[in-house]
Amino acid sequence: MARQSFDIVMPSLGADMRDGTLTEWLVAEGEHVSKGDSIAVIETNKGAIEMESYYSGTISRLLVQPMLTLPVGAILGTINADSNTETDAEENADADIVTDNEQPVSQSTSPPIHNEPPIVPVVSTAPATETSVRALTSQRLASPIVRALAQQQQLDLQGISGSGPQGAILLKDIQTLLQDQSAALSPSEAATAAPSSKAEPPKTATSCRDSNAMREAIAAAMEKSKREIPHYYLSHEIDLSVAQQWLSQENAGRDPDDRLLLTVLLIKAVAILLPRFPALNGHYLDGRFEPAPAIHIGTVISLREGGLMVPAMHHADQLSLNDTMLALRDISQRSRTGRLRSSELTDATITLTHIGDRGSDSVFGVIYPPQVAILGFGRLRQSPLVKQGQINICDTMTVTLSADHRVSDGIQGAKFLHALSQQLQQPELL
């Protein structure tokens, strides 16, 4: 069977993404990759994201060099898929259906190109943005996030040796320079450093995200969600006294770094229940609902500089409580300081947001398309509850459900919240 050729396009890493900057290829032409391998690094207003391959095959052409900002759907290269990945192509047929102006993956191997001297042949499927034009005409090639980091750290790009194509300055070049500068300080120099230097650690690339741009993008996606998705809302107050008591006993014998958070119990309880409520777990695409075969729970992570990330915890129903804790810690850390993978930002099947101890009793979320439900957990608080004719002071939490009325209704949603409450009364079974 002849091998199929597929275009590698600028991915849509969420409904709030419009364009991205290709900062680094992690593969070369002629290199063989497996499905899920990281093949490039894309910078968005969410930070640096590792783009993964949809297919197993050989990279045939890399059409765009790093440091260009291109819209979602722009063709970056092509891959010749292995003959045994025909099923992968079928499985991923819907993975390329995205929002607004993104174009689906084409099977053409010869997209029209034109030369954009002196840098690189650039695919003409979409016009270059103002940011990409600035990157082309500047004396030193660097993406917007690199320039922002250099400006904050008062670094002269002209004096930095870039490791990218044609001397392009990459994120890792700036980070290495900052680390070298910090290591070069003697103890006496560190002790006499300016107060502001002592009070604030060097900013990383992820701390230079444009929070205003991120909020604008999130707002646009949520506006679209509220306009197009018929939401319905439910809330339920859950008694977590038993869960809290079990958690305290479980953590008593653990080192501080190994202790479980209440959020872990909530994630695990939701994951266990979702197979019984498939109408809450999946995607609404092309006018129809597609139940998800797996449970990938998107967890809202609040960024210190402002804004949100919603990476997915894959196969959450198959993780133990310890594994769930490790996975939560991992995606939280990489959301704030490291690189997430593109699949973690695109394949969540339901979202969970936890307000924690920030003072709000409840939070009603807006559905993140193409998902069909989002769960909100308020702060843990003490409330009077009547049990067996007596008033008791209990640890309670208000749990809310925002769901898509095209797929489910209030009766189904209410049954799910009741089942969740019952599940959390038996934390030892999670």
Side-chain angles (χ1 to χ4, degrees):
M1 178 184 294
R3 297 197 300 176
Q4 290 181 289
S5 182
F6 296 93
D7 290 334
I8 301 170
V9 302
M10 177 65 71
S12 173
L13 302 176
D16 54 346
M17 178 176 168
R18 294 296 175 265
D19 55 38
T21 301
L22 173 69
T23 62
E24 183 180 1
W25 282 110
L26 303 178
V27 294
E29 291 185 354
E31 183 173 341
H32 187 273
V33 297
S34 298
K35 179 182 177 182
D37 284 353
S38 295
I39 59 175
V41 178
I42 305 295
E43 280 182 15
T44 72
N45 55 21
K46 297 178 180 180
I49 310 298
E50 292 188 5
M51 175 183 173
E52 298 166 77
S53 175
Y54 283 142
Y55 312 103
S56 296
T58 302
I59 302 297
S60 54
R61 301 176 72 188
L62 299 181
L63 298 172
V64 175
Q65 287 240 11
M67 315 319 295
L68 282 179
T69 299
L70 297 170
V72 164
I75 301 175
L76 308 179
T78 58
I79 180 173
N80 289 331
D82 294 341
S83 58
N84 60 354
T85 61
E86 181 178 4
T87 54
D88 287 350
E90 295 174 354
E91 291 173 1
N92 286 288
D94 293 330
D96 307 309
I97 301 174
V98 293
T99 60
D100 294 343
N101 64 333
E102 182 179 353
Q103 301 298 316
V105 171
S106 165
Q107 294 190 23
S108 169
T109 59
S110 302
I113 62 175
H114 68 276
N115 289 331
E116 187 92 33
I119 306 300
V120 59
V122 181
V123 176
S124 60
T125 55
T129 63
E130 179 182 353
T131 305
S132 66
V133 172
R134 289 199 303 268
L136 285 170
T137 57
S138 62
Q139 292 181 343
R140 294 305 307 275
L141 290 177
S143 67
I145 197 171
V146 168
R147 295 183 182 280
L149 178 58
Q151 183 177 11
Q152 289 184 350
Q153 294 297 320
Q154 298 182 343
L155 299 174
D156 183 4
L157 291 179
Q158 299 300 321
I160 299 176
S161 177
S163 61
Q166 299 192 17
I169 302 172
L170 306 180
L171 280 175
K172 62 183 180 181
D173 299 326
I174 301 289
Q175 293 169 330
T176 299
L177 178 62
L178 292 175
Q179 292 172 355
D180 291 343
Q181 289 179 345
S182 178
L185 288 176
S186 66
S188 59
E189 288 174 325
T192 57
S196 59
S197 298
K198 294 170 63 178
E200 298 183 9
K203 295 180 180 179
T204 64
T206 52
S207 70
C208 295
R209 284 176 285 223
D210 187 338
S211 59
N212 289 332
M214 181 182 291
R215 289 190 184 280
E216 289 175 3
I218 293 173
M222 296 301 96
E223 180 183 14
K224 176 181 173 64
S225 172
K226 289 288 286 184
R227 184 174 63 248
E228 298 182 1
I229 300 177
H231 288 59
Y232 70 86
Y233 305 94
L234 298 171
S235 67
H236 185 64
E237 190 168 355
I238 296 181
D239 181 3
L240 291 177
S241 300
V242 174
Q244 276 290 91
Q245 183 178 6
W246 180 87
L247 195 61
S248 296
Q249 294 174 349
E250 178 69 20
N251 284 334
R254 293 171 175 253
D255 293 333
D257 291 342
D258 295 329
R259 291 173 183 169
L260 302 175
L261 297 177
L262 177 60
T263 303
V264 171
L265 299 187
L266 303 178
I267 293 173
K268 183 63 176 178
V270 170
I272 290 176
L273 285 177
L274 282 176
R276 291 167 47 191
F277 298 89
L280 300 177
N281 188 65
H283 300 130
Y284 194 89
L285 295 164
D286 281 352
R288 62 188 179 90
F289 174 63
E290 299 178 358
I295 295 174
H296 304 325
I297 295 183
T299 304
V300 176
I301 306 296
S302 177
L303 304 178
R304 296 183 179 92
E305 69 272 19
L308 302 169
M309 298 279 280
V310 192
M313 188 177 298
H314 291 156
H315 303 289
D317 56 322
Q318 300 176 18
L319 302 177
S320 66
L321 286 177
N322 288 331
D323 290 338
T324 303
M325 184 69 230
L326 292 174
L328 178 62
R329 185 176 293 146
D330 173 57
I331 61 173
S332 298
Q333 181 180 11
R334 288 191 291 115
S335 293
R336 293 171 176 144
T337 63
R339 290 205 301 223
L340 291 168
R341 295 171 66 86
S342 58
S343 62
E344 294 170 325
L345 291 176
T346 57
D347 62 4
T349 57
I350 189 173
T351 294
L352 183 156
T353 181
H354 187 194
I355 206 68
D357 58 356
R358 294 174 177 84
S360 179
D361 290 346
S362 60
V363 52
F364 288 85
V366 179
I367 299 170
Y368 194 76
Q371 298 168 37
V372 296
I374 179 172
L375 285 161
F377 294 86
R379 71 181 179 94
L380 186 69
R381 65 192 189 279
Q382 289 194 322
S383 304
L385 292 180
V386 177
K387 292 183 177 181
Q388 298 178 346
Q390 295 184 342
I391 297 178
N392 297 271
I393 303 300
C394 303
D395 292 321
T396 64
M397 177 179 289
T398 300
V399 181
T400 64
L401 171 67
S402 305
D404 190 334
H405 226 316
R406 297 171 298 184
V407 180
S408 64
D409 55 40
I411 296 299
Q412 292 171 292
K415 288 181 178 179
F416 173 81
L417 291 180
H418 177 73
L420 180 62
S421 177
Q422 295 299 111
Q423 184 72 59
L424 287 168
Q425 305 313 310
Q426 299 177 300
E428 70 279 359
L429 299 182
L430 296 176

